[in-house]
Amino acid sequence: MPADAQPTDFSAARIRETVQQILAAGVLPAIVQAGHPVLRQWAAPYDGQLDDAELAQLIDLMRSVMHKAPGVGLAAPQLGIPLQLAVLEDQFEVDAGVAAVRSREPLPFFAMLNPGYQPLGTSTAAFYEGCLSLNGLQAAVLRPASVRLEFTAPDGTPGRRDFTGWQARVVQHETDHLHGILYLDRAELRSLSSNAEYSARWSQPDIALARQELGFLPDGEGTAG
């Protein structure tokens, strides 16, 4: 657990009650924004707090919220649920040149419970990221270019998958959410931009221009995918 992450104080019963209330509301819930303590908690490992039907309904709901946002991942704490569950999917159409620079390939939908990742090798890459819980901001984040993810599938099957490029970035971002970490904790803060400034100035396939003009990663580290 990160030194500054707080363990959730939600009991299993309270987690289930929170999920049941969200499911019973009949509307897509709002995404929790930075400043809410649930985003700074080490979420509870999933150990059967929900029955199979509730878990499946929650995963479907999270997928719908992610699509509406829109985003490529959503963690349960972003709905106010301190549970180690996240959904991921990247089916957006991306310019071929941008996709090549960012090593971005489609990521089929999957849900993961109790995930953890380890870097594979020493290669890193830096690109701008945003977050559905930090509306209006983007910043460059230097991350391992490839990771190995260990997780549990919703049916209880242990899983291990290797990811590289943009998929590895999404996996790390969403897993971090479950451990009380926001992408800004890992970001180059001099790169911080509003969405409008990012779109107007820094939305090139790589971060080379932003790095030069804003003065971050001055040695050029992470400018290539």
Side-chain angles (χ1 to χ4, degrees):
M1 181 182 301
D4 52 357
Q6 301 297 315
T8 180
D9 59 359
F10 275 42
S11 66
R14 188 177 174 194
I15 288 173
R16 187 176 189 187
E17 180 182 2
T18 299
V19 171
Q20 289 174 337
Q21 290 175 347
I22 290 173
L23 294 176
V27 297
L28 294 183
I31 295 173
V32 169
Q33 294 299 301
H36 193 299
V38 72
L39 296 175
R40 290 310 195 176
Q41 294 173 348
W42 186 278
Y46 182 79
D47 61 2
Q49 293 94 332
L50 309 175
D51 64 33
D52 290 347
E54 290 168 337
L55 179 59
Q57 291 172 42
L58 177 58
I59 289 171
D60 286 344
L61 179 71
M62 290 174 62
R63 188 180 189 184
S64 295
V65 174
M66 175 180 66
H67 285 172
K68 182 182 177 182
V72 296
L74 187 75
Q78 292 180 275
L79 299 185
I81 305 166
L83 190 64
Q84 290 196 22
L85 165 65
V87 297
L88 306 87
E89 184 176 18
D90 185 3
Q91 302 289 354
F92 288 101
E93 292 187 9
V94 180
D95 175 82
V98 173
V101 171
R102 299 181 182 179
S103 300
R104 183 170 180 172
E105 296 183 356
L107 177 62
F109 176 81
F110 78 103
M112 59 185 188
L113 298 162
N114 305 336
Y117 64 83
Q118 294 294 329
L120 292 175
T122 59
S123 179
T124 59
F127 291 105
Y128 269 89
E129 293 183 24
C131 179
L132 299 177
S133 290
L134 284 151
N135 281 334
L137 296 174
Q138 303 213 25
V141 185
L142 182 67
R143 293 189 184 271
S146 299
V147 297
R148 174 162 293 162
L149 178 73
E150 296 192 1
F151 65 101
T152 301
D155 65 2
T157 304
R160 175 184 289 179
R161 293 175 59 182
D162 294 347
F163 296 88
T164 191
W166 204 261
Q167 293 184 357
R169 184 169 297 272
V170 176
V171 163
Q172 292 171 76
H173 183 116
E174 297 307 326
T175 301
D176 284 353
H177 265 305
L178 304 179
H179 300 158
I181 299 169
L182 298 175
Y183 82 97
L184 283 184
D185 299 330
R186 304 190 186 278
E188 300 295 324
L189 291 183
R190 290 185 66 90
S191 73
L192 187 65
S193 301
S194 69
N195 283 351
E197 287 294 331
Y198 171 79
S199 296
R201 301 177 186 274
W202 316 127
S203 57
Q204 297 83 14
D206 63 27
I207 65 164
L209 181 61
R211 177 184 62 81
Q212 177 181 343
E213 296 293 327
L214 298 178
F216 63 94
L217 293 174
D219 60 359
E221 183 179 10
T223 57

